[in-house]
Amino acid sequence: MSAEGHSDVFHHIRDAEVFELPQFLGGELHIPQPFAQLGFRITKFMLIEVLVVILGVLIFRGLAKRVATGEPVKGRFWGFWEAILLFLRDEVVRPTFGTGHDHGHDDHGHGHGDHGHDSHGHAVPQHAHLDAQHGDAGHHGHGAPAHAGGSALAAVGHPADEYLPYIWSVFFFILFCNLLGAVPWLGSPTGHIAVTGVLAACTLAMTVLTGTKELGGLGFLKSLVPSMDVPFPLNIPIAALMWGIEFIGLIIKHGVLAVRLFANIMAGHTVIAVILGFIAQVAAAGWLWWVVTPASIFGQIGIGLLELFVAFLQAYVFAYLSTLFIASAKHPH
């Protein structure tokens, strides 16, 4: 898709085969197309996504090396990323999945009311149970104990931690794409429905795979139908109808996951473009230009700051809803 001609009012926020630059730098930077004869064309969103992956590898490999020492992570930069990782682990993934140690008690993705049991059969709150796991890991077979004063990321062993790599990956991929979209003349891949659609499809695949692993293929499909206390002759047609509704709902809610992210990111960039467009519209209006221009610039700054907040918020919403959907497959109803 080319941005030449600017007949498309949304050309600034769409994908393209060029990077738009200021006029004094040439106006456009065309992306080389070495694979064009094979029908494969490279776009700016592809390159931005590659940059996102590179940033993720550089940041989190560096953080992983520091965490592996067992010492507290030092420095505001590394502490910032560790704080986000811990927040997603301790406030999103683990509470949503629960501990998995309740043996029949209500543990359907909420986790806050879960209780373990001590050696005398007394109920123990979830946080105390986790503290016992992490502080005495060598006695419970959960791996190396967390060193006193060491990095909080060194504490492992929670049943929900196997889902952390996916949730962390999708959160930071979306976050970095959103933040790079705030850089002039780049654009955000998450403002394209194809990108968010693939992310939602990945969450759908994780949901189905988790449900299949936990319940079996047939068991997962059966779990889509809630239990109903109805007479046997009516049970079969009602169950079939409910299964169809629930299956469509499963697809729709993951589709909404894609549309929500795409719409929020695209809307933010559109508003910024419209506000700045007011300046060009009144360029020949004399004194009115001096009124509209400062108002548009300050308005753009305000919307830009809001977009930084939205970048984090939308990454969190996508990660949180993905966690809910996957947890619902592991703990149906």
Side-chain angles (χ1 to χ4, degrees), residues 66-318:
R66 287 161 176 80
V67 170
T69 64
E71 298 296 327
V73 174
K74 299 178 180 179
R76 293 183 179 180
F77 178 80
W78 300 111
F80 172 77
W81 299 113
E82 185 189 32
I84 296 178
L85 292 171
L86 289 174
F87 174 80
L88 292 173
R89 186 193 72 180
D90 297 337
E91 303 298 331
V92 177
V93 176
R94 287 184 175 180
T96 302
F97 279 91
T99 64
H101 296 299
D102 56 355
H103 301 293
H105 294 289
D106 186 13
D107 185 25
H108 302 311
H110 301 290
H112 298 288
D114 295 339
H115 293 78
H117 295 82
D118 62 15
S119 59
H120 300 289
H122 300 296
V124 180
Q126 176 188 346
H127 61 83
H129 184 65
L130 293 180
D131 291 341
Q133 285 185 3
H134 298 156
D136 194 18
H139 295 289
H140 296 288
H142 292 299
H147 297 287
S151 172
L153 280 176
V156 296
H158 193 284
D161 288 355
E162 64 176 299
Y163 304 98
L164 274 174
Y166 175 74
I167 301 302
W168 279 343
S169 297
V170 75
F171 174 86
F172 285 106
F173 179 84
I174 294 173
L175 177 62
F176 289 166
C177 284
N178 293 348
L179 292 178
L180 288 176
V183 178
W185 305 294
L186 280 186
S188 176
T190 46
H192 198 295
I193 189 63
V195 175
T196 61
V198 171
L199 291 171
C202 290
T203 296
L204 176 60
M206 280 291 296
T207 301
V208 174
L209 290 174
T210 299
T212 302
K213 177 182 176 182
E214 186 72 16
L215 307 170
L218 183 59
F220 172 68
L221 294 177
K222 290 172 62 177
S223 71
L224 296 178
V225 181
S227 59
M228 298 175 292
D229 188 13
V230 296
F232 175 74
L234 297 177
N235 196 340
I236 296 179
I238 292 179
L241 179 61
M242 289 296 297
W243 188 90
I245 294 174
E246 292 293 333
F247 179 78
I248 295 174
L250 179 69
I251 303 300
I252 290 176
K253 68 182 182 182
H254 286 84
V256 171
L257 197 63
V259 174
R260 178 188 289 107
L261 177 59
F262 152 74
N264 278 279
I265 301 304
M266 184 177 182
H269 289 288
T270 302
V271 170
I272 290 176
V274 170
I275 291 177
L276 291 180
F278 291 155
I279 299 176
Q281 293 297 320
V282 297
W287 64 270
L288 187 60
W289 184 88
W290 295 98
V291 176
V292 172
T293 298
S296 296
I297 292 175
F298 284 113
Q300 190 274 338
I301 293 174
I303 296 297
L305 293 175
L306 180 62
E307 280 294 287
L308 292 178
F309 169 73
V310 170
F312 283 86
L313 177 63
Q314 290 304 317
Y316 167 76
V317 169
F318 195 102

Side-chain angles (χ1 to χ4, degrees), residues 14-27:
R14 294 189 189 277
D15 198 6
E17 296 176 8
V18 298
F19 283 97
E20 295 189 47
L21 300 175
Q23 290 299 323
F24 67 87
L25 293 177

